[in-house]
Amino acid sequence: MKEKKEYLLHLLFPPRCPFCDQILFQSIFLPRELVCKQCRENLQQVREPVCSKCGKPLEEEREEYCYDCRKKICEYTQGKALWIYQGKVKDSLYRFKYHRRQDYAEYYGLELARVYGGWIKRCQIQAVVPIPLSKKRLRQRGYNQAELIARQVGKRLNLPVHTNLLLRVRDTKAQKELNDEERKNNLKRAFKTRTNKVQLDHILLIDDIYTTGSTMNEAAKELKRAGVKKIYCLCISIGRGY
């Protein structure tokens, strides 16, 4: 009965591939697909060599850090990302954030857990924390895309998701509109923990896109101020390290 109901819903509201937006035709007798075969095989995943700190792909294997991480102090311990921010991935995330395609979060979370589940376990993560939106931005968008991803990761790895531990207390400008120096100043004192003392040692921060790392760095700085010993970062996509 449950399978028949799901099949009827599929016929009425057919799911679409998060990357090419084509309808995913499937049978009631086959496992549900969340992405088409062509896109799954052609997405550009982040592969070694990568920056030892943020996880950006590097051109030279001899390099340890990317350009951004070489010139700043990182407040977080280490970061990872799934895909390079370009092409279909870039378009997918745009629809996810601005065209209300919240359903994409299921596949994003599935892949993050599949690719980095072992790393998350080795990091001894105790809780997953999404990068928060300001109250104004949340009202405008209607949902926090990072929270949707975080909930999927937490669900698949059996980890608690703390959506109110970290607050965004300043309505900052969009980072993509600013240069490197403006990004740093834009996010200063933008985050605050709900309590002065956080009773967790290892936290996983989750966001959709990593560019220069200013957002993750400021969020990690506030969590460290509140007593968290190690903060790790995980994103859907990331730029290149040069």
Side-chain angles (χ1 to χ4, degrees), residues 40-185:
R40 183 174 62 243
E41 293 176 350
N42 291 303
L43 294 175
Q44 194 165 2
Q45 288 195 337
V46 174
R47 302 188 187 282
E48 296 286 350
V50 298
C51 174
S52 297
K53 182 58 70 170
C54 73
K56 281 185 179 179
L58 299 173
E59 287 294 298
E60 297 290 335
E61 291 187 9
R62 294 171 297 177
E63 294 178 343
E64 186 175 3
Y65 301 109
C66 69
Y67 174 77
D68 289 320
C69 290
R70 284 199 301 267
K71 63 179 184 176
K72 71 181 181 186
I73 297 174
C74 286
E75 301 291 340
Y76 58 85
T77 301
Q78 192 178 33
K80 299 284 185 182
L82 199 53
W83 298 300
I84 295 171
Y85 185 60
Q86 63 181 27
K88 287 185 176 181
V89 171
K90 186 176 181 180
D91 294 341
S92 176
L93 286 168
Y94 184 85
R95 293 193 299 272
F96 178 51
K97 291 174 70 171
Y98 302 113
H99 289 181
R100 305 189 65 82
R101 295 309 305 266
Q102 300 174 50
D103 51 307
Y104 290 2
E106 185 176 2
Y107 184 67
Y108 296 158
L110 173 69
E111 284 299 283
L112 286 173
R114 182 183 69 82
V115 175
Y116 291 117
W119 173 72
I120 292 170
K121 186 175 181 179
R122 290 192 298 273
C123 292
Q124 300 179 312
I125 298 300
Q126 296 166 293
V128 181
V129 176
I131 292 291
L133 294 178
S134 67
K135 290 182 179 179
K136 179 181 177 181
R137 191 70 57 83
L138 186 58
R139 283 196 302 269
Q140 290 173 340
R141 188 170 298 164
Y143 59 95
N144 177 5
Q145 74 279 357
E147 180 180 332
L148 297 181
I149 300 167
R151 289 190 181 282
Q152 288 291 332
V153 172
K155 174 184 174 182
R156 296 179 186 284
L157 298 179
N158 197 28
L159 287 168
V161 180
H162 294 264
T163 58
N164 294 314
L165 176 63
L166 190 65
L167 307 174
R168 199 165 195 143
V169 294
R170 286 181 52 229
D171 183 29
T172 56
K173 293 181 180 180
Q175 289 289 89
K176 63 182 179 181
E177 300 171 1
L178 309 173
N179 61 37
D180 289 356
E181 191 60 35
E182 289 171 333
R183 285 175 177 177
K184 293 176 186 176
N185 295 326

